[in-house]
Amino acid sequence: MAPIKSIEYFRVKPRWLFVKVTDNEDKFGWGEATLEGHTQAVEGALDEIIGRLVGYEADDIEHIWQTIWRLGFYRGGPVFMSALSGIDIALWDLKGRRLNVPVYQLLGGKVRNKVQVYAWIGGDRPSDVEVAAKARLAQGLKCVKMNATEDMNWLDSPSVLDSCIERIKQVKALGLDAGLDFHGRLHRPMAKQLAKALEPYRPLFIEEPLLVEHPEAIKQLSQHTTIPIAFGERLYTRWDVKRFLEDASVDVLQPDIAHAGGISETKRIATMAETYDVAIAPHCPLGEIYPFSSFIS
Ligand SMILES: [Mg+2]
């Protein structure tokens, strides 16, 4: 048991923000609070939080999580939750280092020795897709994730659907499975058409076919297609996730550990998802000390 002596943050290029928590025995842990494009905002949130936590017992991770969550009138959102995530991850790391065990031992121990992975191949240009997919195949991968489409208008030419189909056909022809990431670039009229058009090619999932600020539309889309729907990188707490689980509109939930309240909240979200028969795939495009970064692309 040792009180927190300091909490520092460090910007690291290209876009990372790391958090270091040190206790009064000079033991430390690292976390990540990267919020791409909003680094200064997260730093400001951390500045407000840090002063209140010095002297708190570093082992009391849940107490600290709840203290940060409840310390002001306003809660949630990407900035506040990324700051909270960075501190939470660092506290778990600190405790693991103090006890000389990996964090997974603190969470109940491991449940598997290997995990399925896919790798990112970009895919903005159809001409690049085949080259990138072949490179992943040579690495021994069996699944890839790729961009599905560029921005689309609310109503666009049906021809833009064809290029999306063409990309997945190229990848499937190589014997790879593929998940398609739409990054919320679609609107409902085109999403409905594209999901139907993609069904014969059986993508592993379609990710963020619509933005999460349209829960009604996502629910409708999920009832319209047999393709599994994945999203969650822009949901920040168990309360953000709740509606989508109740609506049965998500098949693969992708909380981002650096945005969704750290290891503590991600584990809670995973447990909630299990009770709705929804898979969990932690979202991870971020830095090198990010939990699971060696596993998930
Ligand atoms: Mg994504």
Side-chain angles (χ1 to χ4, degrees):
M1 302 282 278
I4 293 172
K5 184 173 81 176
S6 66
I7 302 176
E8 306 161 273
Y9 52 78
F10 301 87
R11 283 190 206 183
V12 178
K13 288 182 179 176
R15 58 179 185 174
W16 300 325
L17 184 66
F18 298 123
V19 178
K20 183 182 184 186
V21 177
T22 306
D23 68 18
N24 72 349
E25 295 172 358
D26 287 329
K27 297 214 165 38
F28 58 86
W30 285 97
E32 177 156 8
T34 303
L35 186 66
E36 312 92 293
H38 300 280
T39 301
Q40 285 177 294
V42 178
E43 289 174 349
L46 284 165
D47 286 338
E48 290 183 336
I49 296 168
I50 287 169
R52 301 182 188 224
L53 294 185
V54 173
Y56 272 63
E57 178 52 54
D59 264 347
D60 296 344
I61 299 173
E62 180 64 23
H63 178 59
I64 291 172
W65 197 100
Q66 294 289 348
T67 299
I68 298 171
W69 174 251
R70 295 160 193 246
L71 63 75
F73 189 78
Y74 300 100
R75 298 174 178 178
V79 173
F80 178 77
M81 293 308 294
S82 295
L84 171 48
S85 301
I87 293 171
D88 180 86
I89 297 167
L91 288 170
W92 280 107
D93 186 41
L94 170 56
K95 185 179 277 199
R97 289 171 190 265
R98 269 201 336 102
L99 299 173
N100 200 27
V101 291
V103 168
Y104 68 79
Q105 291 290 10
L106 305 176
L107 299 173
K110 68 183 176 190
V111 293
R112 56 178 64 84
N113 291 311
K114 56 184 181 178
V115 58
Q116 279 187 302
V117 298
Y118 57 75
W120 177 250
I121 61 165
D124 278 330
R125 288 188 202 84
S127 56
D128 297 339
V129 167
E130 192 175 354
V131 174
K134 280 182 174 170
R136 293 304 194 189
L137 201 57
Q139 290 176 312
L141 285 142
K142 295 175 180 162
C143 308
V144 296
K145 185 165 90 174
M146 56 197 276
N147 283 332
T149 174
E150 296 170 358
D151 288 333
M152 270 190 208
N153 290 323
W154 265 263
L155 274 181
D156 218 320
S157 164
S159 64
V160 301
L161 307 177
D162 297 338
S163 69
C164 179
I165 302 298
E166 193 52 41
R167 284 175 227 195
I168 191 167
K169 278 171 72 175
Q170 286 179 317
V171 171
K172 298 284 285 193
L174 296 171
L176 287 162
D177 285 324
L180 298 176
D181 193 349
F182 289 83
H183 309 287
R185 290 171 178 169
L186 293 184
H187 301 282
R188 194 169 50 153
M190 299 307 287
K192 289 195 294 187
Q193 296 181 63
L194 195 47
K196 273 286 173 233
L198 282 167
E199 274 180 14
Y201 303 98
R202 296 192 293 175
L204 290 171
F205 54 82
I206 49 175
E207 177 174 330
E208 286 195 316
L210 298 166
L211 289 169
V212 291
E213 55 253 44
H214 302 298
E216 305 85 1
I218 294 176
K219 182 178 180 181
Q220 186 188 48
L221 183 66
S222 71
Q223 292 167 350
H224 172 81
T225 181
T226 57
I227 303 173
I229 293 180
F231 57 85
E233 66 194 86
R234 286 184 260 195
L235 298 172
Y236 309 110
T237 65
R238 74 197 91 153
W239 295 280
D240 284 357
V241 162
K242 184 165 65 171
R243 172 174 187 169
F244 296 100
L245 293 174
E246 290 174 346
D247 282 351
S249 61
V250 60
D251 300 291
V252 182
L253 201 52
Q254 302 168 307
D256 192 307
I257 305 166
H259 305 323
I263 293 170
S264 299
E265 187 71 354
T266 303
K267 188 156 190 308
R268 290 190 277 262
I269 289 170
T271 303
M272 287 171 67
E274 186 181 11
T275 67
Y276 287 87
D277 202 18
V278 167
I280 281 279
H283 185 250
C284 177
L286 303 176
E288 296 299 314
I289 62 169
Y290 190 89
F292 310 123
S293 64
S294 56
F295 300 112
I296 309 293
S297 296

